[in-house]
Amino acid sequence: MYKSNQFIPAYLSHVIWCTVKMLTKDIGHSAFPAVAIAATAMVWFNALVFLRSTFLRFSIFVSGLVTIIQDLIPFLIVSLVLLFGFGEMYNVDSLASGTCSM
């Protein structure tokens, strides 16, 4: 699951780029928030992987959590498809009735 050789260069480049942007106060770029969120997620994921390899009880907990999340992925996909479908139907209905506020 965790490929350290592939993950560490991306992790380091994101964190270094975000750190440089914050230190130079050049955060006006439109991609900065998305990259900063990705870098933060990578930091927390890396911390979880480290703790998973350090403590046995935490390792069992994280392994169980990963299994639960993997089992929920099909449910989440179907839920998102239904949500977007109902949102699209609402949008089409509001456009057809002339009450669209966009």
Side-chain angles (χ1 to χ4, degrees):
M1 181 178 135
Y2 177 69
K3 304 282 187 202
S4 62
N5 293 340
Q6 298 168 354
F7 187 70
I8 289 189
Y11 164 73
L12 288 176
S13 65
H14 276 80
V15 171
I16 290 170
W17 185 78
C18 288
T19 304
V20 167
K21 286 289 192 178
M22 285 188 281
L23 288 176
T24 60
K25 295 185 171 104
D26 182 27
I27 57 174
H29 193 269
S30 63
F32 177 75
V35 174
I37 290 170
T40 304
M42 287 182 193
V43 168
W44 281 104
F45 179 75
N46 205 17
L48 278 176
V49 169
F50 171 74
L51 288 174
R52 184 178 176 188
S53 65
T54 305
F55 303 113
L56 178 62
R57 288 187 178 192
F58 192 75
S59 174
I60 293 169
F61 172 73
V62 171
S63 297
L65 190 64
V66 167
T67 302
I68 291 170
I69 290 172
Q70 286 174 347
D71 291 342
L72 284 177
I73 287 176
F75 170 75
L76 293 174
I77 290 172
V78 169
S79 297
L80 285 174
V81 167
L82 288 173
L83 181 68
F84 284 123
F86 277 106
E88 182 68 22
M89 286 189 289
Y90 180 73
N91 189 25
V92 169
D93 180 51
S94 65
L95 287 172
S97 65
T99 60
C100 182
S101 62
M102 286 204 252

